[in-house]
Each structure stands twice: as C-alpha cells, then as structure tokens.
Amino acid sequence: MANDVNDEAVVFCSNPDCRVSETDLCVEAFELSACPYYGREAEETSETDRGSEEKSKEPSSIVLPSADTLTLAETSRLLRKGAARVIAIIGPRDAGKTSLIASLYELFQVGPVAKIRFARSQTLHAFEQTCHDARAASRRAEPHTYRTPRGEVRFYHLDLGGAPLGHRLAIVLGDRAGEEYQGAADDASIAMAFPEVRRADSLTVLVDGNRLIDSGARHNLRSEILMMLQGLVDGGAVQAGQRLALVLTKIDVVNKSPHMARAEKNFISLKERIQQLFDHVFFVIQPFKIAAAPKTNAVPRGTGVPELLTFWLEPAPPMDVSLPVRPEFVRAFARIVPLDA
C-alpha cells in the first residue's frame, strides 16, 4: 500500500542519534509510522547560526580586577615583575598596624610623601575599605579602623615614583592579626607560617604608646615584644640582614600624658634591649615615633609616617659575597684543588 512504511521507501531520520537504517528500530521506541523524525532529513546548521551560538556562549560582560588585598600567590607574581620592597608590620593587638597602612594611603591622597609620588595600586578598593570607617562619610561618632581577621595575611600594594627613587618601585605591606604574632612567643614553630616576615626587606615592630603610658601594662608590653621577636628568630622566620624599624605609635596620646617622659625612657630602654639581643640578626635597628590616626588635633594625621616610608624604601643591605679562606697545608699534595673549585 502507498501509505505503508518500509525500509526500501525511507531509511533516514532527522534525529542525529537514531540508527534506524542499521537497526530498523526507532531510538525513541516509537513505531516507525508514528515517529515524528522518521523520514525527515536533518536540518543543517548554517555558518551564521553556528557563529551566533558561539557568540552566545561568550561572557556578556568584562570582568575587572577586584582591587582587593592580594593573595600570597598574587603577591609573588607581583614581586617577580620588578623592583619591590616587602614590609612586614607586626606587633601586639591594637598596636595600630591597620591604622598605619590607612594613614600612608590617606597621605598620598593629598600629595607626595617625603617627595615620593603615588603611581598606582592594585589594591585601591582594599585601601578605601580600610580608611572608610575613619572618615566623616562613615557617619560614625568616633573614627574607627577595621581590624584584621585572624587566620589570614593581607597584602596591600603601592607603586611609587619620584626623584628620590629615580625609578618605579613597588611596595607591599603585609598585615596580620596581632594575636598570631603573639602566638609565636608561645610556639616558635608557627613562625614559619608567616611568609610576609620571611620575605620582608624590613620588619616594622609597633609599640603601643597607649599601653606604654599605663603603669600596669607597660611591663607586659615590653615582655610581649621581646618574646614575639625571640619567637620569630627562633622559629626561623627572621632572616639575617633584614632591617628593623621599632615604632612608637599614638604619640599624640603619649605627648599629652603626665607620664610622657617615663614612656619615652621606656621606649629607649626597649630599643637598647632589642639591640643587645638581636643586633647580630638585623642589619640596622632604628626607632620612630608616629601618630597614624590621632584622636585629637594636637598633631597632624600621619605624623612620622613620611620618615618611616623613607626608611622602608632604602636600598637593601649588600650581600656578603666574600669567598671562604682556604686553609694552608704543609704538603703540596694537600694544596691541590679541583679545576672547577
């Protein structure tokens, strides 16, 4: 009959998965007479249609960098691109680490700092977040600086230039919760988990001026800093030849305190004790006094920060490349050395 469906009349199907010409069976399990695809040729896709499909799979928007703090891997890639300085800012809790970083960024908003000019940054959003709560725009009753969470290290980036440098130089600031650095005093083995300290060109140890004028807290503060440094050294995080900045923070509070003279004397004493213990480790140990985020108008915001920045940007100390002295031997045979020695 004319309406009968047979293999001789039709042996093709528009379903690309169907093998009716080989198996005589519908892949959809239909009777051949009821299959909507049987007997129809597959529709060819034009080049235009294929191009449209490929374009539809492409992202419809451009993904921009987050400008957040850098990860360890991102920081490593940055340091391989050119000249850079890594600064590890360490100290007990609430010593003012994040305030110092925010203050440096705020100073560059006004203009050059110590004749150094801002060039660019990969962490602008992170800087803005850090500074926001200390600004009037945050509508806070009192200025506040965001605290660094425990369990992570944050890297802030600045590209700097200007006549004093003579070339573009990157600076990377490592910020970690103070409690973690204090933990190195109890367990020196955790110090190796601080890559910002191991790689640092300069270590910046903050001494909380607010605690230094407190009769009950000043002795504990001194002990905490000495034990923290000892833990970092014993744990192998501190490398010989690194530079150390010992920074007294919150000098606006210190200057208006009746115990100002005693606090400054204690700071000098702490610096001398650190020199006695670690002079063989650090290339230089230099004291600074700053007011990164003063609570009053007694001193300008960022007091002492330009001097600290200058210290950070100083060239790294020369490496000791002196060759070992060969011992003198009496016998000529003992003085023979390999040609590649």
Side-chain angles (χ1 to χ4, degrees):
M1 297 177 62
N3 293 333
D4 288 344
V5 179
N6 56 67
D7 292 340
E8 293 182 1
V10 180
V11 291
F12 50 84
C13 181
S14 62
N15 187 340
D17 296 325
C18 186
R19 297 293 180 267
V20 64
S21 61
E22 302 171 6
T23 63
D24 294 331
L25 297 174
C26 176
V27 73
E28 301 287 348
F30 287 112
E31 291 292 336
L32 295 183
S33 59
C35 179
Y37 305 105
Y38 184 74
R40 300 175 56 187
E41 295 184 3
E43 297 179 1
E44 293 185 0
T45 304
S46 66
E47 293 294 332
T48 304
D49 293 338
R50 281 196 292 268
S52 300
E53 291 177 2
E54 291 176 358
K55 289 182 179 180
S56 65
K57 296 178 181 179
E58 296 178 357
S60 58
S61 60
I62 299 175
V63 179
L64 298 176
S66 66
D68 203 351
T69 50
L70 301 179
T71 64
L72 183 58
E74 291 169 337
T75 303
S76 298
R77 287 194 293 270
L78 172 68
L79 297 178
R80 289 194 293 268
K81 292 182 178 179
R85 299 282 187 275
V86 178
I87 313 301
I89 303 177
I90 66 179
R93 177 181 177 180
D94 291 331
K97 296 183 294 297
T98 307
S99 295
L100 172 56
I101 294 173
S103 173
L104 179 61
Y105 174 72
E106 291 280 24
L107 289 177
F108 276 118
Q109 303 302 300
V110 180
V113 179
K115 299 182 179 180
I116 304 297
R117 295 183 177 276
F118 170 84
R120 71 185 187 96
S121 172
Q122 294 185 24
T123 57
L124 285 176
H125 188 201
F127 276 121
E128 286 292 334
Q129 284 185 315
T130 302
C131 298
H132 175 72
D133 287 344
R135 294 172 174 166
S138 68
R139 299 184 179 182
R140 283 180 171 267
E142 294 183 2
H144 171 77
T145 302
Y146 182 74
R147 290 182 51 80
T148 305
R150 298 188 63 172
E152 65 178 71
V153 57
R154 298 179 168 204
F155 291 100
Y156 296 82
H157 162 250
L158 290 168
D159 262 6
L160 306 177
L165 292 177
H167 57 87
R168 184 73 63 85
L169 182 69
I171 182 171
V172 176
L173 306 170
D175 181 27
R176 184 187 293 270
E179 295 89 341
E180 295 189 59
Y181 291 125
Q182 289 176 265
D186 301 322
D187 183 2
S189 65
I190 69 173
M192 290 303 291
F194 302 154
E196 72 281 8
V197 177
R198 301 200 313 270
R199 174 57 181 82
D201 297 285
S202 297
L203 269 65
T204 300
V205 177
L206 303 189
V207 182
D208 189 345
N210 207 25
R211 293 179 62 190
L212 203 60
I213 61 177
D214 189 322
S215 300
R218 58 194 176 98
H219 295 294
N220 288 337
L221 175 62
R222 173 189 173 98
S223 176
E224 285 176 13
I225 291 176
L226 291 175
M227 292 178 66
M228 181 178 60
L229 278 174
Q230 190 67 63
L232 294 175
V233 172
D234 292 345
V238 174
Q239 310 299 314
Q242 289 177 319
R243 305 162 76 246
L244 176 66
L246 187 68
V247 182
L248 176 60
T249 65
K250 308 173 185 176
I251 60 169
D252 56 313
V253 178
V254 174
N255 289 345
K256 71 176 185 179
S257 169
H259 305 299
M260 179 184 69
R262 186 188 67 190
E264 292 184 345
K265 182 178 179 180
N266 288 335
F267 179 66
I268 294 173
S269 174
L270 175 60
K271 186 246 184 184
E272 292 174 347
R273 182 57 177 161
I274 290 176
Q275 285 181 316
Q276 292 175 359
L277 294 174
F278 308 111
D279 189 56
H280 66 289
V281 177
F282 296 105
F283 179 75
V284 62
I285 301 174
Q286 188 165 328
F288 294 90
K289 299 177 183 179
I290 68 171
K295 301 295 185 182
T296 67
N297 295 325
V299 295
R301 181 178 177 85
T303 296
V305 175
E307 292 77 10
L308 182 58
L309 174 64
T310 301
F311 176 82
W312 287 345
L313 298 179
E314 288 177 2
M319 299 295 292
D320 183 9
V321 294
S322 58
L323 298 176
V325 179
R326 297 185 182 277
E328 293 292 335
F329 297 100
V330 177
R331 299 177 63 211
F333 185 82
R335 295 196 296 271
I336 297 177
V337 296
L339 292 178
D340 59 350

